[in-house]
Amino acid sequence: MITFRNSLYTSLFIVVLGACSKKEVKAPAAVGPVPSASQLAWHEMETNAFIHFTINTFTGLEWGMGSESEKLFNPSEANPDQWIQVLKEAGFKGVILTCKHHDGFCLWPSMYTEHSIKNSPYKKGKGDLVREVAEACKRHELKFGVYLSPWDRNHAQYGKPEYIDYYRNQLKELFEAYGPVFEMWFDGANGGDGYYGGANEKRSIHGASYYDWPTTLNQVRAMEPDIIFFSDAGPGVRWVGNERGLAGETNWNNITPDTLYAGKAGIENLLNTGSENGTHWIPAEVDVSIRKGWFYHAEEDSLVKSPERLFEIYLTSVGRGSTLLLNVPPDKRGLIHENDVKSLKGFKALLDSEFKMNLAMNAKIEATSYRGTSPVYAPSQLIDDNKETYWATDDDVTMADIELDFERPQRVKYVLLQEYIPLGQRVKSFEVEVWKDNAWQKVASATTIGYKRILKLDPIETQKVRIRITGAKACPVLSNLEVY
Ligand code: FUL
């Protein structure tokens, strides 16, 4: 009888215990603005390429006046397949083409203007480079994006309401014939002198109101619901505030857009860092050219950025939670120049060699705490190679340490962290320490993490690395930790 009772109690105890351990620990609630599905997909692209190509390539200018003859556009060996193949091999996931730059020349045979490829010698006026690039992107499985300059120095009606109809008609042409389009670039350069159909004058517009962007964006969204809009103020992604490849060391994806508009002066610093309590998720995109200029100029052949420079830019863009948009302009032949190809190959080789062996993968991992001590939020989720799982702490814990033990000394050079951004950006400050001479030594400290943060350390031999989250808007939620 006693035995029976005992075993009954034991079974009851086990059932109760089982029920307790199965008790689901609630996931953290989202904090602040969060990315949309298309913004999330955009973050995950990490590196995209810009292609600047127009009559400027043949005149040596950066900003054509709009008066240049279409006859000047004559790439003798244009081969968009080569462009896209080179970019694909360098690891880029998307391409944005200047379908029309400020000079107004269109790389597709638009029915709304004569200032286009149809009046150029290229393929005797039968060419369409927007189509060729969009198709090459499909073949090589890169996403295709469109730059259509709002400022048009060729168009007679620029500055008047009629031009807005023209601009919208061209967007319709592009989105209906060449999609899918993943990103649309609205450049901030606006107004100034130009040809304007022969008027040759200076025209200024009211940047905040002339274009009536909300209407235009709605029209585009109706054609391409998942589109990401780039402009200083987003709404999809924002300018990073410089063209030197530098995202802010503090880089919030949040910003309050109501005081921003494309081309507004004096907002560079704000764009660079975003703001901790910004009301919208509008991440920064880092646009920078592989050359000095945006267009190809033979005299810059010796100034192509080296693989090492491109790698540094990668660290200050992708490594600071942004997406890199690297411009690689075709030359007068219509090919990516040999020097650029060489640099891109070297850049890819550097990426592959610097991030070859993730030491965290086989390390022992612990944390000072994890949410409800549930395995769902355990630190092991940081090294499981699954971006959907994450380590998180209890709601009232905003400081915590994560420790990796490699079990024998390793040479450590980079630490890579990722927040689980579908639940918002949280971390405000963190430090990296290594175990050296029987003590923890601080080797780096930084602020935000966001989609991805890579810290480059002075290479050091150590058996253990500790990440200390020292400040966060709410409980930290991290999906990935890598060490190289
Ligand atoms: C700038 C433009 O004025 C440059 O020509 C280039 O297109 C760059 C990406 O954006 O605002």
Side-chain angles (χ1 to χ4, degrees):
M1 194 63 181
I2 291 169
T3 322
F4 170 69
R5 275 188 155 209
N6 272 352
S7 69
L8 187 70
Y9 286 139
T10 313
S11 324
L12 271 173
F13 181 68
I14 290 172
V15 169
V16 171
L17 198 75
C20 285
S21 68
K22 275 200 201 116
K23 204 185 117 212
E24 215 186 296
V25 178
K26 256 181 105 188
V31 164
V34 295
S36 66
S38 37
Q39 284 174 320
L40 209 50
W42 175 89
H43 278 285
E44 287 171 2
M45 293 174 80
E46 296 193 2
T47 56
N48 295 322
F50 225 167
I51 296 183
H52 275 65
F53 196 42
T54 189
I55 294 182
N56 294 346
T57 311
F58 302 87
T59 55
L61 297 176
E62 277 290 309
W63 283 8
M65 274 299 275
S67 55
E68 298 80 8
S69 162
E70 298 82 32
K71 303 282 176 278
L72 294 169
F73 186 81
N74 193 13
S76 48
E77 302 166 45
N79 183 0
D81 215 68
Q82 182 247 4
W83 314 350
I84 306 304
Q85 183 149 357
V86 165
L87 298 170
K88 167 96 182 179
E89 282 166 12
F92 294 94
K93 298 291 188 292
V95 162
I96 300 177
L97 173 69
T98 55
C99 300
K100 178 186 88 165
H101 201 252
H102 309 328
D103 63 293
F105 181 78
C106 300
L107 291 182
W108 82 103
S110 171
M111 65 181 277
Y112 299 102
T113 181
E114 291 306 303
H115 196 47
S116 87
I117 200 162
K118 72 185 173 200
N119 288 317
S120 81
Y122 178 64
K123 294 194 171 170
K124 299 199 170 75
K126 299 276 175 269
D128 180 344
L129 275 168
V130 177
R131 183 169 306 286
E132 287 188 56
V133 172
E135 285 179 356
C137 281
K138 283 196 187 106
R139 272 195 300 282
H140 295 281
E141 294 177 339
L142 263 72
K143 290 189 184 172
F144 174 66
V146 156
Y147 173 118
L148 188 73
S149 170
W151 183 25
D152 190 320
R153 301 174 102 184
N154 172 266
H155 203 272
Q157 313 280 7
Y158 181 78
K160 306 199 178 100
E162 291 80 352
Y163 172 74
I164 304 302
D165 295 334
Y166 171 76
Y167 187 77
R168 288 178 182 158
N169 282 332
Q170 291 205 319
L171 282 172
K172 202 157 180 286
E173 279 188 317
L174 288 172
F175 279 79
E176 284 181 350
Y178 306 99
V181 178
F182 84 101
E183 182 172 334
M184 168 84 222
W185 234 77
F186 296 111
D187 194 281
N190 271 315
D193 54 354
Y195 172 69
Y196 304 127
N200 287 308
E201 60 189 13
K202 188 166 173 172
R203 291 188 181 168
S204 46
I205 50 118
H206 186 245
S209 62
Y210 174 56
Y211 295 107
D212 177 18
W213 286 119
T215 307
T216 304
L217 302 196
N218 280 338
Q219 284 180 2
V220 173
R221 270 193 208 104
M223 297 183 281
E224 191 74 86
D226 293 332
I227 190 76
I228 290 286
F229 293 115
F230 164 96
S231 85
D232 286 4
V237 299
R238 68 178 197 260
W239 186 40
V240 75
N242 65 72
E243 294 176 341
R244 301 190 308 279
L246 294 174
E249 283 202 59
T250 295
N251 184 10
W252 290 101
N253 293 298
N254 310 336
I255 201 162
T256 303
D258 62 358
T259 55
L260 311 173
Y261 57 83
K264 185 177 178 185
I267 52 172
E268 289 79 2
N269 288 342
L270 175 60
L271 293 172
N272 195 242
T273 60
S275 36
E276 184 182 324
N277 295 314
T279 53
H280 289 65
W281 188 277
I282 307 179
E285 179 181 75
V286 178
D287 62 317
V288 57
S289 185
I290 194 169
R291 291 169 166 254
K292 196 158 163 275
W294 292 98
F295 289 90
Y296 173 86
H297 310 297
E299 64 273 23
E300 292 175 6
D301 281 350
S302 61
L303 301 177
V304 176
K305 291 188 174 69
S306 65
E308 292 73 23
R309 182 73 198 101
L310 294 178
F311 183 73
E312 275 171 22
I313 287 177
Y314 175 86
L315 292 180
T316 56
S317 55
V318 178
R320 291 183 182 173
S322 280
T323 291
L324 171 62
L325 180 63
L326 181 72
N327 180 58
V328 184
D331 62 16
K332 286 188 188 188
R333 296 169 301 177
L335 296 173
I336 305 294
H337 189 272
E338 290 73 358
N339 294 4
D340 306 52
V341 173
K342 203 168 151 223
S343 264
L344 288 172
K345 284 199 165 136
F347 168 52
K348 181 64 170 50
L350 262 179
L351 283 174
D352 292 344
S353 65
E354 292 296 277
F355 302 128
K356 192 166 175 192
M357 172 64 195
N358 175 11
L359 297 166
M361 263 323 216
N362 301 312
K364 245 176 51 201
I365 189 162
E366 282 174 4
T368 45
S369 75
Y370 56 100
R371 198 171 180 80
T373 59
S374 159
V376 177
Y377 308 108
S380 55
Q381 306 288 37
L382 285 159
I383 53 170
D384 66 349
D385 200 22
N386 179 353
K387 63 183 168 63
E388 300 307 334
T389 62
Y390 51 82
W391 162 80
T393 58
D394 286 326
D395 283 341
D396 55 351
V397 177
T398 53
M399 290 166 79
D401 297 347
I402 306 155
E403 193 179 312
L404 285 171
D405 187 339
F406 310 125
E407 279 166 348
R408 63 190 165 84
Q410 299 280 2
R411 189 171 177 267
V412 168
K413 197 171 171 190
Y414 301 97
V415 170
L416 183 157
L417 284 158
Q418 292 189 271
E419 284 188 78
Y420 183 73
I421 56 173
L423 294 178
Q425 187 176 358
R426 295 151 181 262
V427 174
K428 297 204 282 191
S429 58
F430 68 102
E431 294 171 353
V432 179
E433 295 181 336
V434 297
W435 186 251
K436 199 81 200 157
D437 304 328
N438 288 320
W440 287 110
Q441 285 184 18
K442 186 160 84 180
V443 288
S445 58
T447 53
T448 50
I449 297 177
Y451 169 73
K452 186 173 268 190
R453 188 72 199 257
I454 307 173
L455 294 184
K456 187 177 179 186
L457 314 174
D458 287 335
I460 188 160
E461 285 268 321
T462 183
Q463 183 174 320
K464 295 196 280 188
V465 168
R466 181 158 84 171
I467 312 296
R468 315 199 78 176
I469 307 293
T470 52
K473 282 171 75 173
C475 69
V477 180
L478 301 186
S479 63
N480 189 28
L481 165 59
E482 296 172 23
V483 175
Y484 295 92

